[in-house]
Amino acid sequence: MIKIAAETWVPYTIVTTNADGTIDISGPMGQVVDMFAQFFDVDYTLVRPPDGLWGAKQPNGSWNGMMGMVHRKEVEFAVGPFTITPERETACDFSRPVHSDNLAILMVRPGLVSDVSGFLKPFTYKVWLLIAASALCMAMAKVFVNKCEEEIFGHRTKNLIVKIFQRVLQNLVQEGSEWIPVNDGGRILVSTWLIATIIFTSLYSGTLTAMLTVPRVVIPIDSLADLVSQNDLPWRLEAGSMMPKFLMESGDPVRMKVVTHVSGTIPDCWAAREAVARGEFAALCDETSMKKSMSWDFSTTGRCHLYIAKEYVFTNAMMAMAFQVNSSNVEKINQIIGKVMESGLLDMWMGSELTNTSQCLRPPSSDKRDGISALNLEAFYGIFTVLLIGAFIGLLAFIVEQIFKNKA
């Protein structure tokens, strides 16, 4: 009778406790353990780690979690599978890798959000600045040309500067104006500015209409740099994993900040899936666990509430079972792993755990919407804010005019 350490790590390993206190194991890794016991006539008993952790080396040199149980020879081996690292290789012997995985950021799926400055988005800030500069330059050019023409032809226009600036603004918002310059030079400038403003306003209205009809989804976090540079969404790491040490030893300031500014830990990504879907925090997880969480989410709700960031934190992490050093059972389990991998059984078992993920793996911008819906008040917050500011300034100007009128 040998002891085997195991803890639930969906979808690889699922450990359940029966009413009589015995423990059962299922999932792809449970299948491997059962085949090992059957082919080599091995009796085993399952043991859960008291702290529920996978295992990491502590500052005092000891190990916690399942890795600690293997290192202290309390169990023959631990199912895991564990990410193979040089540090862990000093505490145990690993079996053949059973899987390779990537680690990334799991977070709530981005959706449409209200944007107060949305009405400014059809043009970049550089274009808006150039339009404002063009209006100012055109007004100054008109003043200069009209002043010169008045000197040449001997006539005067009352309030010329006011009329020119008013004409420039009226053209910009496609409003008609009764006043036009008397001479040809001024009229040519007016016509040129009118043509330019027609193009400006046509492009603006067309682009704004397209943006309102087909709104874009902004993805605020798609990399570690995005994660650590924002303060809206906290993040957590798996307890007892190799990730904190890996990030700190990288020497990269961004990766180190992920550890130093972490908001807490989680047992594993499967256990945290609902909290992540509610937007309580983001989590650094293995891709397979994230896909399983997506599968569960879509199967239970019919919608996608989770999103995997595009940038991988760690790629091609090799994963294997952990045995006591010089264990005679390593070669036996390697034979089982080799057979199930060569026959495609392991891939089939893993694939059966990851159904209903294709829809949720698509980018958030491709999420289906219930047809064309009416624009709500949030879509007009920006322009209504401008109207309120304009009305307030107009009221102040009116009050000032009344004060000066009474004094006069």
Side-chain angles (χ1 to χ4, degrees), residues 138-322:
M138 183 59 68
M140 295 173 62
K142 287 181 180 180
V143 170
F144 176 75
V145 170
N146 279 274
K147 285 287 188 181
C148 291
E149 287 182 333
E150 286 183 353
E151 293 295 330
I152 295 173
F153 295 102
H155 62 81
R156 292 288 183 273
T157 301
K158 187 178 180 181
N159 298 327
L160 176 64
I161 295 177
V162 174
K163 289 180 177 179
I164 288 176
F165 274 89
Q166 184 177 359
R167 175 84 194 205
V168 168
L169 292 176
Q170 287 175 326
N171 289 157
L172 192 59
V173 297
Q174 297 298 286
E175 181 183 346
S177 176
E178 296 181 357
W179 177 83
I180 59 173
V182 177
N183 303 107
D184 293 337
R187 292 188 175 188
I188 291 174
L189 288 178
V190 167
S191 300
T192 303
W193 177 242
L194 181 61
I195 293 172
T197 55
I198 290 174
I199 296 174
F200 292 153
T201 54
S202 297
L203 290 174
Y204 175 79
S205 60
T207 306
L208 182 62
T209 301
M211 291 177 66
L212 292 175
T213 305
V214 187
R216 296 182 300 170
V217 177
V218 178
I219 301 177
I221 300 173
D222 234 350
S223 65
L224 283 183
D226 295 336
L227 183 68
V228 301
S229 63
Q230 54 84 43
N231 298 313
D232 297 326
L233 185 66
W235 62 89
R236 297 184 183 181
L237 302 175
E238 287 184 324
S241 72
M242 45 73 67
M243 188 53 59
K245 190 173 184 65
F246 165 75
L247 294 174
M248 291 300 294
E249 290 181 347
S250 68
D252 179 65
V254 172
R255 296 191 172 198
M256 294 172 68
K257 190 174 180 180
V258 173
V259 180
T260 57
H261 288 67
V262 69
S263 64
T265 60
I266 55 175
D268 56 74
C269 289
W270 175 255
R273 66 192 186 281
E274 294 183 75
V276 174
R278 290 193 298 267
E280 295 180 14
F281 53 82
L284 270 66
C285 306
D286 63 283
E287 191 173 22
T288 303
S289 294
M290 291 189 287
K291 288 181 179 179
K292 178 61 178 179
S293 298
M294 284 183 164
S295 172
W296 166 86
D297 179 38
F298 191 77
S299 298
T300 54
T301 68
R303 301 185 64 183
C304 300
H305 300 95
L306 296 169
Y307 174 72
I308 302 175
K310 288 183 178 180
E311 181 190 78
Y312 286 134
V313 179
F314 191 94
T315 59
N316 294 321
M318 305 306 294
M319 308 174 75
M321 296 181 176

Side-chain angles (χ1 to χ4, degrees), residues 314-353:
F314 191 94
T315 59
N316 294 321
M318 305 306 294
M319 308 174 75
M321 296 181 176
F323 286 76
Q324 290 184 21
V325 176
N326 298 322
S327 171
S328 60
N329 288 305
V330 176
E331 186 56 36
K332 295 177 181 179
I333 205 75
N334 283 342
Q335 292 181 39
I336 300 298
I337 293 172
K339 290 182 182 297
V340 296
M341 292 185 70
E342 291 169 5
S343 63
L345 283 175
L346 194 58
D347 289 337
M348 184 187 72
W349 294 335
M350 291 295 293
S352 65
E353 298 286 340

